[in-house]
Amino acid sequence: MNIALTNGKIPIQTGDERHPIMLVDPPERGLFDSLFYRGVPAARKDVYWRVLHARLDGKTMREVGEAHGISRERVRQMEAKMLRMLSVHYQSVLALEIDSLETVRPLHDNR
C-alpha cells in the first residue's frame, strides 16, 4: 500500500481476517525510536523518521530519495521495514486491549 495516499495515516496489518488493514496515526518519536533494536544509531533512526513523514506528507519515493541521497528502492525498503515494525507493535497493542476486554465483566453482571 502506498502510504503517500493514506491522508497522513499509517496502514498496518491487524492479523484479523475480517479487517486485515487498519489506518492509524503516526507514532510519537519516542515510541518510533523504541521499535528499533538496541544499538541502532540515532542518525539511522532519524533518517527513517524523516522518510516516514515525507511519505506521509505525500512525497513520492523519488522525491524522498533525492532529498536524502538514497534510491527509490531504498526508500521502498525502509518504508516496508517501518510498516512491518509498526504492524507488529500495533498487533500486540490490539491483542492486549482485546485480552483486557475479555477479562472485564459488566457491572450489572451478577455472576
Side-chain angles (χ1 to χ4, degrees), residues 95-108:
L96 287 174
E97 288 177 4
I98 289 170
D99 186 47
S100 67
L101 289 175
E102 290 175 353
T103 60
V104 175
R105 289 188 317 203
L107 292 175
H108 64 276

Side-chain angles (χ1 to χ4, degrees), residues 4-49:
L5 302 176
T6 59
N7 295 326
K9 300 281 188 177
I10 296 176
I12 61 157
Q13 295 178 354
T14 63
D16 183 352
E17 293 175 359
R18 294 169 294 154
H19 306 285
I21 296 179
M22 179 172 72
L23 296 176
V24 298
D25 290 324
E28 297 293 324
R29 181 63 192 257
L31 170 62
F32 181 82
D33 285 350
S34 72
L35 297 175
F36 286 90
Y37 293 111
R38 285 194 175 141
V40 173
R44 182 179 295 170
K45 292 177 190 176
D46 191 52
V47 171
Y48 274 87
W49 179 257

